[in-house]
Amino acid sequence: DENDNDERAEFIFSFFYLAPTFAVPVAADDGLFQAVSTVFIYSGALFHHNATALPSSGVTGTCRKTQALTEIDSNTTLLGGGQCSFTFTLDETPQGTPLSTLNVKGELFDLAGGVLSVVGGTGAYEAASGQVVVTPLYESDTFIDVFTEASTYIVNASLTF
């Protein structure tokens, strides 16, 4: 009801996930890491924007490539991408609650990243709803794949409780 909505709190937080040299891929049948159906496994620490690690915090998850980068014609390119599922573990949340997890799912695209839906959580995030914007950063102007070429991912969560 309307009174329940008035009591809900909303906040935004942001952090970095520094990608490993490359995401650990489970190669597709043809052995190519950029091939459709390749599964990428992520696991690592989370960082503040000043590059200091968030204590006892991290991310684990997988992405399955579902669309290859495809040139339609000389003026049109269809971005590649895939379906992802991540669990972010935060030792201390913005509200001060220790060890909470936030589960997100959605699609990431080459170059642009994507918006993932919050699908669950524990501790401080047990009643959370909202979205998480994942923006990949690339070290060069040329890129092949959001899953293998990004050096860092900026993660911005917009949550309502």
Side-chain angles (χ1 to χ4, degrees), residues 90-93 95-101 122-124:
L90 298 164
D91 184 41
E92 188 171 319
T93 67
Q95 303 95 339
T97 305
L99 198 57
S100 298
T101 62
T122 64

Side-chain angles (χ1 to χ4, degrees), residues 18-44:
L18 299 179
T21 305
F22 60 93
V24 179
V26 179
D29 292 339
D30 61 6
L32 298 174
F33 295 147
Q34 283 83 25
V36 169
S37 81
T38 300
V39 175
F40 297 89
I41 301 168
Y42 293 85
S43 181

Side-chain angles (χ1 to χ4, degrees), residues 115-150:
V115 179
L116 309 179
S117 297
V118 172
V119 295
T122 64
Y125 302 118
E126 184 175 7
S129 62
Q131 61 187 27
V132 173
V133 177
V134 178
T135 305
L137 300 180
Y138 301 93
E139 291 183 5
S140 70
D141 292 339
T142 60
F143 68 93
I144 298 172
D145 190 285
V146 66
F147 305 122
T148 60
E149 299 295 320

Side-chain angles (χ1 to χ4, degrees), residues 49-136:
H49 286 282
N50 63 9
T52 58
L54 290 165
S56 302
S57 298
V59 60
T60 59
T62 60
C63 293
R64 178 177 294 276
K65 189 163 188 73
T66 57
Q67 173 65 46
L69 184 70
T70 306
E71 187 173 322
I72 305 298
D73 58 42
S74 62
N75 296 318
T76 309
T77 301
L78 178 63
L79 295 178
Q83 293 291 319
C84 299
S85 176
F86 296 107
T87 297
F88 296 98
T89 301
L90 298 164
D91 184 41
E92 188 171 319
T93 67
Q95 303 95 339
T97 305
L99 198 57
S100 298
T101 62
L102 183 67
N103 301 306
V104 299
K105 283 184 145 187
E107 193 164 18
L108 292 181
F109 296 96
D110 291 338
L111 185 61
V115 179
L116 309 179
S117 297
V118 172
V119 295
T122 64
Y125 302 118
E126 184 175 7
S129 62
Q131 61 187 27
V132 173
V133 177
V134 178
T135 305

